Amino acid sequence: MSAPPSPTDLYRHSLRLLLDKDIPGWVDLWAEDGLAEFPFAPDGWPRRLEGKEAIAAYMRHYPDHIDLHDFPDLRIHRTTDPETIVVEMRGVGRLVESDAPFDMTYIAVVTVRDGRITSYRDYWNPLALQEPGADFTGSSR
């Protein structure tokens, strides 16, 4: 039996799945009780998702709205906790509805236990949501 992937390897794999638009595969990387938090989410957008099912529902329509092409400027920092990494990156692509460019800067704090994501705190830029077609969550915003 092989050891579970490191947080860095699992995170890099998660990015590949997003680029491949494999949302079910991406969701499978999560622990059943995984927690996703978005401290900078604007009004009408979720700030906290508890459990794999809620995370799957949130991401289900992502590729229908945002066509990711690359994650340039990826930097993954190890922390004093071997299960936690801090990620700096950009996601670039296009908004499907308007064909406008998509360029989002992220900082994420990610914890992985037993080869599954248990916590993901995503500090993304809510100003990028001002573009039509960026809302993939179905929020009432």
Side-chain angles (χ1 to χ4, degrees):
M1 187 161 154
S2 64
S6 71
T8 296
D9 290 343
L10 185 74
Y11 194 81
R12 286 181 188 280
H13 179 62
S14 78
L15 296 180
R16 171 54 38 212
L17 291 170
L18 288 176
L19 291 174
D20 290 344
K21 296 163 187 40
D22 183 355
I23 299 305
W26 185 85
V27 169
D28 282 345
L29 300 178
W30 284 77
E32 288 299 324
D33 61 349
L35 175 65
E37 297 177 284
F38 311 98
F40 296 146
D43 289 342
W45 281 63
R47 292 181 190 265
R48 182 179 175 98
L49 300 169
E50 296 184 37
K52 191 178 198 173
E53 189 174 310
I55 293 162
Y58 175 80
M59 289 295 291
R60 185 167 291 120
H61 299 290
Y62 188 94
D64 298 332
H65 297 276
I66 300 172
D67 179 18
L68 286 170
H69 298 164
D70 195 11
F71 290 102
D73 308 324
L74 176 65
R75 291 189 303 247
I76 299 175
H77 307 278
R78 289 181 289 190
T79 69
T80 56
D81 177 350
E83 297 179 320
T84 300
I85 55 175
V86 175
V87 180
E88 297 177 84
M89 67 179 184
R90 285 176 46 226
V92 297
R94 69 178 183 86
L95 296 174
V96 173
E97 180 182 311
S98 65
D99 205 35
F102 177 81
D103 192 336
M104 177 78 76
T105 300
Y106 301 87
I107 294 179
V109 180
V110 182
T111 301
V112 173
R113 288 196 179 89
D114 300 322
R116 297 282 181 241
I117 299 168
T118 59
S119 175
Y120 194 117
R121 224 170 22 255
D122 192 346
Y123 295 92
W124 52 272
N125 176 7
L127 297 176
L129 296 177
Q130 295 174 349
E131 279 291 327
D135 187 350
F136 63 89
T137 68
S139 73
S140 60
R141 193 176 63 80

